[in-house]
Amino acid sequence: MSTVNEIIEKLKTLTLLEASELVSKIEETFGVDASAPAGGAVMMAAPVAGAAEAAPKEEEKTLFDVVLEEIPADKKVSIYKVVRSIANIAVNQVKEFTSSLPKALKEGISKEEAQAAKQQLEEAGAKVKIV
């Protein structure tokens, strides 16, 4: 291993001109082309494969959060009723719960349940999103 380390240390001291000459000599000696993307093709394939794998993971999402973003002042009463039933909280807790928005109203629920909650809230006049 010490030979490899010695070579690396010597390579670190080369000027750009010397490094270019070294590449030319290596190409001549070993019959290779340094501009060919032998390793680059493998590197490029990995991110593409990783990106392809990431897309299905997004589709596989099974748990969602219903986030209450905004309550118009003229719709508070009707929205509070829906929030109370969805969050299963007492009447006196609704105002405190909704005092700072945006806020997750329900977390880790199915897509169907999240969409139903969103629809109820939107019908009451709230601004809601599912994440």
Side-chain angles (χ1 to χ4, degrees), residues 4-128:
V4 172
N5 289 337
E6 288 175 29
I7 293 171
I8 294 296
E9 290 304 313
K10 286 183 182 179
L11 287 174
K12 288 179 183 178
T13 64
L14 294 179
T15 64
L16 288 176
L17 182 60
E18 291 170 330
S20 176
E21 290 173 7
L22 175 63
V23 169
S24 296
K25 283 288 188 184
I26 290 173
E27 287 176 330
E28 274 179 38
T29 305
F30 298 104
V32 294
D33 183 5
S35 64
V42 173
M43 285 183 194
M44 287 178 60
V48 171
E53 290 173 14
K57 286 182 184 174
E58 286 182 28
E59 292 175 39
E60 293 173 13
K61 184 174 180 178
T62 56
L63 299 178
F64 298 85
D65 299 343
V66 177
V67 178
L68 184 58
E69 294 188 309
E70 186 180 321
I71 298 176
D74 62 330
K75 309 277 186 178
K76 279 186 178 182
V77 175
S78 59
I79 294 170
Y80 282 2
K81 289 178 182 177
V82 177
V83 168
R84 183 174 171 245
S85 70
I86 291 173
N88 198 25
I89 56 178
V91 176
N92 60 345
Q93 295 174 311
V94 174
K95 189 174 182 181
E96 182 183 329
F97 182 83
T98 58
S99 64
S100 62
L101 298 177
K103 188 174 216 170
L105 183 59
K106 289 287 266 184
E107 297 178 318
I109 59 175
S110 70
K111 185 173 187 174
E112 294 78 19
E113 192 178 348
Q115 287 176 335
K118 180 180 180 188
Q119 182 179 354
Q120 288 177 346
L121 288 160
E122 286 178 338
E123 286 173 359
K127 186 175 177 188
V128 186

